[in-house]
């Protein structure tokens, strides 16, 4: 299938798919049609793209996804690191959230009041 159909099936943009190919996450097979070479997004590539999309929605980095896909034996270590990153982000953002919860947004008239 062409990139447009693969993108629709995976919920990704064509630009994202091209990025994942550039980063080496996917390598769609090439097909020759009338002397020109075209990428053929086969079922295996589409399944891999769906996995990548799910991991990106969970905020895994490209490097983490590469490690997960290329070295499944490292998934426990990657996930442990991912969980630590999320915990640190939560710790960093918690005071901001608490402050934001104290503010009545309907009473704001300027950014200076935030």
């Amino acid at each position: 299938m062409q990139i447009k159909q693969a993108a629709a099936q995976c919920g990704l943009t064509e630009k994202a798919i091209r990025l994942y190919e550039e980063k080496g996450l996917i390598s769609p097979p090439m097909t020759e049609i009338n002397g020109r070479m075209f990428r053929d997004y086969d079922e295996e590539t589409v399944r891999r793209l769906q996995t990548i999309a799910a991991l990106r929605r969970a905020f895994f980095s490209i490097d983490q996804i590469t490690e997960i896909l290329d070295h499944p034996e490292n998934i426990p270590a990657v996930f442990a690191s991912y969980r630590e990153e999320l915990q640190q982000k939560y710790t960093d953002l918690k005071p901001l959230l608490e402050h934001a919860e104290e503010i009545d947004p309907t009473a704001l008239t300027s950014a200076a009041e935030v």
Side-chain angles (χ1 to χ4, degrees):
M1 79 181 67
Q2 295 177 346
I3 191 170
K4 184 174 271 191
Q5 290 120 345
Q9 230 179 330
C10 300
L12 295 167
T13 63
E14 293 176 31
K15 184 177 179 179
I17 291 174
R18 288 187 187 96
L19 172 69
Y20 300 149
E21 184 176 359
E22 178 185 312
K23 297 291 185 180
L25 289 169
I26 60 167
S27 298
M30 302 295 282
T31 303
E32 184 176 342
I33 301 173
N34 296 327
R36 292 184 59 201
M37 297 302 290
F38 293 91
R39 289 169 182 80
D40 179 21
Y41 294 87
D42 59 6
E43 289 300 316
E44 181 181 335
T45 303
V46 169
R47 276 193 303 278
R48 192 167 171 101
L49 284 167
Q50 289 168 334
T51 299
I52 292 166
L55 291 169
R56 289 297 288 152
R57 283 191 299 275
F59 301 104
F60 280 88
S61 70
I62 298 287
D63 289 340
Q64 290 169 323
I65 293 170
T66 300
E67 188 69 17
I68 287 168
L69 295 175
D70 293 348
H71 304 283
E73 68 277 8
N74 293 340
I75 290 173
V78 171
F79 189 79
S81 171
Y82 165 76
R83 192 175 50 225
E84 287 173 17
E85 289 174 25
L86 289 178
Q87 184 61 48
Q88 186 59 53
K89 287 178 184 176
Y90 173 77
T91 300
D92 293 345
L93 292 174
K94 188 177 179 191
L96 293 173
L97 179 60
E98 289 170 351
H99 177 70
E101 288 173 343
E102 295 171 359
I103 297 171
D104 176 7
T106 60
L108 296 176
T109 58
S110 75
E113 296 172 342
V114 177

